[in-house]
Every structure is written in C-alpha cells, then in structure tokens.
Amino acid sequence: MLRRYLDVDVFTDQPYRGNPLAVVVDGDGLTTEEMQRFAHWTNLSETVFLLPPTDPAADYRVRIFDPMNEMTFAGHPTLGSCHAWLVAGGTSRHADRVVQECGVGLVTVARDSANGRLAFAAPPLRRSGPLEPEERADALATLGLGEADVVDSAWIDNGPGWMGFLLPSAEAVLAIRPGATTRNIGVVGPHPAGSECAVEVRAFFPLNGLTAEDPVTGSLNASIAQWLIGNGTLPADYVAAQGTVLGRTGRVHVHRDAAGDTWIGGAVITCVEGTVSL
C-alpha cells in the first residue's frame, strides 16, 4: 500500500542543517513489527507514524521509533510530526494549538504565526536530583572529564533517561570527544555574553556498542531548560545551539511562561515529500 511520506528537518530553517525525521502520514493498519522494521530501514534517529487519536482531547496520535525500539516521547519528532500533520491538511480545534497524543500522554504544540515556529510544552521530569557517584564517575570517564571540569550535574530524565552535565563554557562542550557509553548523556555550557545563542548543547547515546551524537535534541533541551531555568542558572528565554560539531546549525528556542510551563520551539521544513510502500 502506498502511504504519504515526508522527510522533514527540525530545529532549523535551512535544509539539511537540523535533525531529520521520517514521517509516515497514514500509519493506520500497520503492526508494531512493520513500523519498527521500517524505522530500522530508514536508519534515522527517529521515524514516526501518524494515527487517529484515541483520546478525544487530542488532534492526532503519533508513534515514535528509533532504529531498534519504540519511544514514549521525543522532542524533534513531536515538532516534526506536528508539521507533517499540518502539511497533510490536519485541522486543529484551536488556531494556535495542536494537541498530540503519544506514549507519555497529551503534549500541547503551540503555533507561532509571527515566525512560523512550533513549540511543545515540555513534559514533567520523570527523574531528577543528584547523580549517584558511580553513575557520575562512569559518565565523566565517557566524556573524558574530571570532577573539576564540571560545574553541576543531575538526572534530567523526561523519558529517554538523560544525565545532564553543566560545563563552564561552550568551548569546553565543543571540545569533548567521547568514549563508549551505555547511557544517554547531555552536556551544556554557556556561550560568552552577547552571543547569538546562550548555550551550546550536545547529546550522546549508545548505538551498536559505540557512542553516537544526536544533531539536535528536543527532549534533552527540554530537560536542560527545566533543570537550569529552575535553579536560576539560565534565564526564562534563551536560544540554544546544537549540532555544531556535526556541521549542523540547530537552534532551539526556549521560553518559560508565567504559568511555569517550559516551551521548546524551533523551525521545521519539509525536505522530501512523496509516497512509501508499506
């Protein structure tokens, strides 16, 4: 069966400079095994399938897969799937909001008509607080860092299991050359005052016994914002850069509103559109 298909680039307004996402617009009738097989074939960090919602409060439902597993939530698939749903003719109940149903429940995506960006409301952290000494030591060894190289660290897990490390500068973040890891590790450091972006972010995760780096990571940026805005390290509004080492120009727009919700936003553009046989 031919199904509508898009490759979109998330957290960028320049084609092929953000984080790509494969989107099967009509996932109805596909089994979990078929979805996983296709996600393994695309070999992108995530592939998503759009489905009718099961919750009456949602506009659409999404299932998210990496090449090996299904995920309950991820940030760039949230924005990318919303973009694809709108491109495919989806109409939300509210002009400036779309409600996505996924493994963690309902996630609200805001539409900014002024700049065309989408932003999702960050889900609550599932795990927070200090890292255990052994976990921290193992992660520091992976990053090639010592205790004196780190300003702060914490569990910042909103689904993928992120461990967060704050370094003293963006330069220190960009200098990391990681070893093998079995954990999902996020690293952040500030750019000099007056720079285009407030911080530099990098995301490392295990893949086939090696360490891979994600180009631009919505879930990590969401948990970093909740952690560092929450403790006063970062302001309520800022822009994060990610993907620099990989030749990408990811830009993540962060906003903490008066109600205390953290919004993670960015541009999304369509790079490939057609059909796929599934």
Side-chain angles (χ1 to χ4, degrees):
M1 176 179 174
L2 292 179
R3 300 169 188 267
R4 190 168 181 180
Y5 175 80
L6 288 83
D7 277 339
V8 301
D9 213 4
V10 186
F11 293 120
T12 183
D13 57 5
Q14 304 174 53
Y16 319 116
R17 301 299 297 277
N19 199 354
L21 176 73
V23 185
V24 177
V25 173
D26 176 15
D28 244 359
L30 292 173
T31 66
T32 297
E33 181 183 11
E34 289 169 329
M35 292 180 183
Q36 186 65 74
R37 185 185 304 119
F38 184 67
H40 185 269
W41 180 82
T42 68
N43 202 34
L44 293 179
S45 58
E46 281 98 14
T47 297
V48 302
F49 300 82
L50 303 187
L51 299 156
T54 60
D55 188 317
D59 291 304
Y60 70 92
R61 180 163 65 101
V62 64
R63 294 184 68 180
I64 306 168
F65 293 81
D66 69 17
M68 301 302 295
N69 301 286
E70 185 169 6
M71 306 172 70
T72 58
F73 171 77
H76 100 275
T78 293
L79 298 190
S81 62
C82 183
H83 169 86
W85 182 77
L86 292 168
V87 166
T91 303
S92 62
R93 295 174 177 82
H94 306 285
D96 60 347
R97 293 285 190 275
V98 177
V99 180
Q100 170 187 283
E101 179 184 354
C102 60
V104 296
L106 301 183
V107 176
T108 299
V109 181
R111 304 169 64 185
D112 191 329
S113 58
N115 53 44
R117 288 196 296 263
L118 299 171
F120 67 86
L125 294 180
R126 295 183 166 191
R127 186 178 186 182
S128 59
L131 300 174
E132 295 80 358
E134 183 177 347
E135 297 272 6
R136 177 182 163 98
D138 286 350
L140 288 177
T142 292
L143 298 172
L145 301 175
E147 291 287 346
D149 298 318
V150 177
V151 176
D152 198 2
S153 66
W155 283 109
I156 51 171
D157 180 18
N158 54 9
W162 293 113
M163 306 169 69
F165 288 86
L166 174 63
L167 303 191
S169 68
E171 183 180 13
V173 171
L174 293 170
I176 290 173
R177 298 297 179 264
T181 184
T182 58
R183 301 168 173 83
N184 291 346
I185 303 172
V187 186
V188 57
H191 280 282
S195 300
E196 175 203 355
C197 298
V199 294
E200 189 76 32
V201 172
R202 296 179 71 185
F204 304 108
F205 61 94
L207 181 65
N208 299 327
L210 302 173
T211 297
E213 181 168 356
D214 196 47
V216 203
T217 318
S219 64
L220 175 59
N221 276 278
S223 58
I224 285 173
Q226 289 166 315
W227 172 34
L228 297 180
I229 295 176
N231 67 18
T233 300
L234 289 176
D237 291 271
Y238 67 89
V239 179
Q242 192 179 349
T244 305
V245 171
L246 302 176
R248 311 292 176 88
T249 55
R251 295 293 182 266
V252 181
H253 296 256
V254 178
H255 170 65
R256 172 72 65 87
D257 66 21
D261 292 323
T262 303
W263 294 87
I264 305 300
V268 185
I269 52 177
T270 301
C271 295
V272 177
E273 186 170 5
T275 58
V276 63
S277 179
L278 272 175

